[in-house]
């Protein structure tokens, strides 16, 4: 019922910028919070940034001052503006959303993920 689709990834040179987008679609749902995670080969998936419905944000230390997360509640979309990109930012970036949806006449919590979008930073 709830699907997430990321876009905006690609190849960028170190020091450059990239903007990721994630659109949540479905029916009869409401989102509590959204976030961006990333995973590089051989590494665990880590939280990059998160944002609540009212706009409270949280970032991992390695991206503070460089990345900005934002959301458009009306469009059910979350963005990740990435600047001053570094080689170590290379990873697959995943969008996450948690909330609730209507299933069998009752609200049920969900925690959904997108397929991911590849971000590659080159020197």
């Amino acid at each position: 019922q709830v699907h997430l689709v990321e876009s905006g990834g690609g190849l960028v040179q170190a020091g450059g910028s990239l903007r990721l987008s994630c659109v949540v679609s479905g029916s009869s749902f409401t989102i509590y919070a959204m976030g961006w995670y990333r995973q590089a080969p051989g590494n665990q998936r880590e939280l990059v940034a998160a944002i609540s419905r009212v706009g409270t944000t949280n970032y991992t230390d390695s991206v503070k001052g460089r990345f900005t997360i934002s959301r458009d509640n009306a469009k059910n979309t979350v963005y990740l503006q990435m600047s001053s990109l570094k080689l170590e930012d290379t990873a697959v970036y995943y969008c996450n959303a948690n909330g609730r949806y209507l299933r069998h006449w009752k609200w049920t919590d969900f925690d959904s993920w997108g397929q991911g979008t590849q971000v590659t930073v080159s020197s």
Side-chain angles (χ1 to χ4, degrees):
Q1 291 188 39
V2 181
H3 299 92
L4 281 63
V5 179
E6 304 98 333
S7 63
L11 177 64
V12 63
Q13 291 186 339
S17 299
L18 209 59
R19 189 193 191 203
L20 306 182
S21 299
C22 174
V23 180
V24 182
S25 62
S27 61
S28 302
F29 69 90
T30 183
I31 300 172
Y32 300 148
M34 303 184 72
W36 287 96
Y37 293 71
R38 66 186 180 187
Q39 186 170 22
N43 295 337
Q44 295 185 18
R45 188 172 299 185
E46 65 171 347
L47 174 68
V48 177
I51 186 168
S52 71
R53 188 170 184 84
V54 297
T56 302
T57 59
N58 186 36
Y59 300 90
T60 189
D61 288 341
S62 63
V63 308
K64 287 182 178 178
R66 300 189 298 118
F67 291 9
T68 301
I69 187 171
S70 61
R71 67 186 294 175
D72 186 332
N73 291 336
K75 298 180 179 179
N76 291 320
T77 302
V78 64
Y79 307 93
L80 185 66
Q81 178 65 51
M82 305 183 294
S83 300
S84 301
L85 284 163
K86 304 175 180 179
L87 293 177
E88 52 264 41
D89 294 321
T90 295
V92 177
Y93 284 71
Y94 297 91
C95 179
N96 169 263
N98 65 78
R100 66 178 185 175
Y101 68 100
L102 191 62
R103 179 176 181 269
H104 297 154
W105 301 95
K106 62 183 180 181
W107 291 105
T108 303
D109 290 339
F110 72 86
D111 189 356
S112 299
W113 297 84
Q115 288 296 117
T117 184
Q118 177 71 49
V119 173
T120 303
V121 183
S122 64
S123 61

